[in-house]
Amino acid sequence: MRSRVLAVVLLLSLIVAAVPVAATDRVVVGRADLSLSVPDNRVAAGETVTLDVYVVNDATIVRGGPAEFVDRVTTARSAMLDIGTIRGLDVETDEIPFGVVPEGIHGPATIELTVPESVPPGTYQLPVELRYTYTSVVAYDRTDLDAEPEYEERTVTRRVTVPIVVEERVRFRVVEAATDAQIGGSGTMSVSVRNVGTAPAREASVELVSANADLTFGGADSAASFVGEWAPGETKMATFPVTVADDAEIRDYTVTGRVSYTDTDGIAGTSNELRSSVRPIPEQAFSLSAVTSTLRVAHEGTVSGTVTNEGPLPVADAVVVFRPVSPNFDASETEFAVPDLAPGESAPFAFEVEVSSAADPGSRQLRFVVDYEDEDGDNRTSDPLAARIEVAPERDPFTVDATASTVSAGGDGRLTMTVTNTEDETLSDISAKLFVDDPVSTSDDEAFVDELAPGESAEISFEVSAAGSAFPKDYPVSVDFEYDRADGTTEISDTFRLPVTVAERRGGGFPFGVLVGLGVAVLVGVIVAVRRT
């Protein structure tokens, strides 16, 4: 019985028309017929796309029968797509397994490919090998439903092509982006964009968007620049005002954007996404060097040094500003103008600073800034610049040594002293004033020195007298000096205390001590006489 059925199956597989033979009602004949459909096959140069591929099973029934066997002969199995290659296009997908494919449309599956910018417009054929298996004949025994059917299997290998249309489109790419804006400042960002597509654009406008609030377009996160007509292969430059935050980092900042345009048919369109980055210029920097001082407590001195423009840009109308951080430092002028400085150039500066008597000597830190104009004429201020200097202890401008200071009681003599300039500058118009108290007196309390160079000494003297009743010993006298400094200021020194030595009277009467002794003796005698009476 089975051999007769198989003979019929073989016969039906060779002819299309039905042939009246015995047991034909126990045979189901059909075929699965697969084809491909790609509804959207249009791409543009310079993009990576995925094409949606559908498999269509347009099955045919030659001899019908039970539904399960009809499904068997109309269903494809082990369906597989082997994707070929196209010269000029990069096809990323090798194969797509579809498996079981009943009658109807199935999918989509995707084919990934990249179309280089250099590919010209046109239609390209992508070869695809379609393989699947199906059952062409099912032979069964309708009187014995438990009997195992017999199947005839066929494997189909079909080579088809999928057309891919590379259209003429406008497409843009950023070729360069740069900015002259510094950290904490404003400037211009220029972006060079090329039409790498194959179609011209009209009424084109470049729009950019910043992804970080540290870099804005004049405070906004986006800006647009109109560029007009744009031919294929043409590069245009668009400029935008940009502002960089004070606390922004030195790094690349991402900007994205698109080109809005009108095509040759007058239809408005938007391009592919533009993506680039810009790096702001570092903040203007300055440095201080060779900072020295002649400062000391209770004295006006000089702080001087050198300021250097470390770049990256030249500066104009630069002013070094001294910012005292302590009330014990007082500068008569707090600004020192320096010439325009190119990157790497330096200029000296100096400030006259008075240190109060309340200040402590030792190491101190001074603070400066540089005010300047940038290349756009905007006023800018540098970060604070610190310099460490030494404040010397308070020091008298003179040393005074008495070289002759002895006078006899009841007599007169000369008080002679040596005055030395301890300053680092010449002092002039030095007027000395002597102050005395009883029993020392003077009728000559002033002396004058025209000038003293640093370290130079001069000898001055005063006429002094000692009262006759003065005991022999040292008596203090004081002297101070009024003088002019090299800058023309007049100052008064501290008071210097010196000893004047009073010696015993020499000749010309009884010494004071003898008179006292005689007086005591007479007094004792009188007391004795009174007691005896």
Side-chain angles (χ1 to χ4, degrees), residues 4 8 11-12 15-25 63:
R4 294 179 62 191
V8 172
L11 180 61
L12 290 176
I15 61 174
V16 177
V19 178
V21 295
T24 55
D25 56 338
R63 283 282 185 261

Side-chain angles (χ1 to χ4, degrees), residues 41 46 49 302 379 392 456 509 526:
N41 63 345
V49 297
T302 302
N379 293 321
E456 185 179 7
V526 171

Side-chain angles (χ1 to χ4, degrees), residues 187-252:
T188 300
M189 176 179 174
S190 58
V191 181
S192 295
V193 183
R194 180 174 300 152
N195 181 358
V196 295
T198 55
R202 297 181 301 175
E203 301 173 352
S205 179
V206 179
E207 181 181 8
L208 293 184
V209 178
S210 172
N212 193 304
D214 286 345
L215 186 144
T216 62
F217 299 97
D221 61 359
S222 63
S225 179
F226 184 81
V227 295
E229 301 286 335
W230 211 331
E234 184 179 8
T235 300
K236 288 183 175 289
M237 179 180 291
T239 58
F240 305 85
V242 294
T243 301
V244 185
D246 292 335
D247 56 352
E249 299 176 358
I250 294 295
R251 64 178 181 85
D252 291 334

